[in-house]
Amino acid sequence: MAKNVPYEKQTLDHPNPIARFAHRKRLKHSQKIVLGNLEQDGCIVDYGCGQGRFLNQLNLALRNKRVKTQLCGYDPYLKSLYDGYVVVNDPHEIQNNSVDIVTILEVCEHLSEEEFQGFIEFTLAKLKPSGHVLVTVPIMIGPAVLVKELVRCLLFRRLSDTTPLDLFKAAFFAIPPPRAANIKTSHRGYDWRKTCDVMSAHFQIQKIDFSPLPFIGWFGNSQAIMLFKRKA
């Protein structure tokens, strides 16, 4: 029988050491990128911040560097469990052209096309002319998807929602299967390349990193970490 698993246990506190390592390295790298592009007295909005762990850790890092920054988090589904940031109930309350960095970490794969367009419109409105957008998403094609599906089946105690043939095509030919009926709870069929293409149509891409093994490119990695900037 399938079981419910807390969000943190699915990601940063995953019982599987490989999955846990991948998620924590992704978060650490994201923090490094944010700190490298942040100005004094800046503003960061984490869109779909979950329970606030990224902002909490970022707040601690900013304290150590003595950098004054406003941290805001928005998530319509999960309740905050961490402190160190301002919970935003309505993202439209944020002042236009006031945000230095918008982060959206492991969220795009769960957004419908309409919701993703809403995020883009929000970001274009709120971001400063010199602002950045940091996007991290799972890579659900390439050999890593085989490990991911096995780990997910063990964690949730259920069979995969992807057929063996579709897994084979995704793992070795980078052909994603059809998207799951409920994308809020499943990554099946998600293609990070489409997210990159849509973002690139509205923002200037600055860099793409792959985690946790950046030296082998996306094929075989677990996550894509993309930094964008407002177009001039």
Side-chain angles (χ1 to χ4, degrees):
M1 178 180 293
K3 67 173 183 176
N4 293 323
V5 179
Y7 176 75
E8 293 287 286
K9 196 173 180 181
Q10 297 179 44
T11 54
L12 298 170
D13 294 329
H14 202 293
N16 182 281
I18 297 176
R20 185 169 64 248
F21 167 76
H23 279 289
R24 291 187 178 185
K25 185 165 184 181
R26 179 258 306 169
L27 200 72
K28 184 177 181 180
H29 190 61
S30 298
Q31 179 177 299
K32 181 179 178 181
I33 292 175
V34 168
L35 292 174
N37 289 277
L38 188 63
E39 297 180 1
Q40 184 74 21
D41 297 321
C43 175
I44 298 173
V45 175
D46 190 10
Y47 194 97
C49 64
Q51 295 168 325
R53 188 158 173 177
F54 174 70
L55 290 173
N56 174 265
Q57 294 186 1
L58 186 60
N59 179 55
L60 295 177
L62 289 169
R63 283 184 185 177
N64 293 334
K65 292 180 176 292
R66 297 183 179 180
V67 176
K68 183 181 179 182
T69 303
Q70 182 181 9
L71 302 179
C72 301
Y74 166 70
D75 197 298
Y77 297 103
L78 295 177
K79 184 178 180 181
S80 174
L81 292 182
Y82 296 89
D83 58 12
Y85 69 100
V86 176
V87 176
V88 177
N89 294 316
D90 182 357
H92 298 291
E93 295 177 358
I94 298 173
Q95 185 178 349
N96 288 351
N97 300 310
S98 66
V99 180
D100 293 272
I101 301 176
V102 174
T103 60
I104 182 166
L105 313 179
E106 308 298 292
V107 173
C108 293
E109 64 272 20
H110 298 297
L111 300 181
S112 66
E113 291 184 7
E114 182 179 356
E115 289 170 329
F116 191 30
Q117 184 59 38
F119 162 73
I120 290 174
E121 292 173 0
F122 163 83
T123 303
L124 288 171
K126 307 305 178 182
L127 208 60
K128 291 180 180 178
S130 59
H132 291 81
V133 190
L134 179 64
V135 181
T136 74
V137 290
I139 298 175
M140 298 304 296
I141 48 178
V145 73
L146 298 175
V147 179
K148 286 186 174 186
E149 279 303 300
L150 175 60
V151 169
R152 187 172 292 111
C153 289
L154 293 174
L155 181 64
F156 287 94
R157 298 179 185 173
R158 60 161 174 76
L159 296 176
S160 172
D161 62 350
T162 309
T163 67
L165 178 59
D166 281 340
L167 272 177
F168 179 82
K169 291 192 293 185
F172 299 106
F173 295 98
I175 301 174
R179 290 240 58 187
N182 185 358
I183 63 174
K184 302 302 182 190
T185 59
S186 176
H187 291 172
R188 191 190 76 194
Y190 175 73
D191 190 342
W192 73 272
R193 298 169 297 185
K194 291 185 178 180
T195 297
C196 183
D197 289 343
V198 174
M199 288 294 297
S200 297
H202 299 276
F203 303 93
Q204 178 183 347
I205 191 162
Q206 297 286 287
K207 63 184 297 189
I208 302 179
D209 295 329
F210 301 106
S211 182
L213 305 172
F215 50 86
I216 65 172
W218 73 262
F219 195 79
N221 260 304
S222 179
Q223 285 110 5
I225 303 172
M226 301 175 281
L227 182 66
F228 299 88
K229 187 176 182 179
R230 286 200 71 150
K231 289 184 177 180

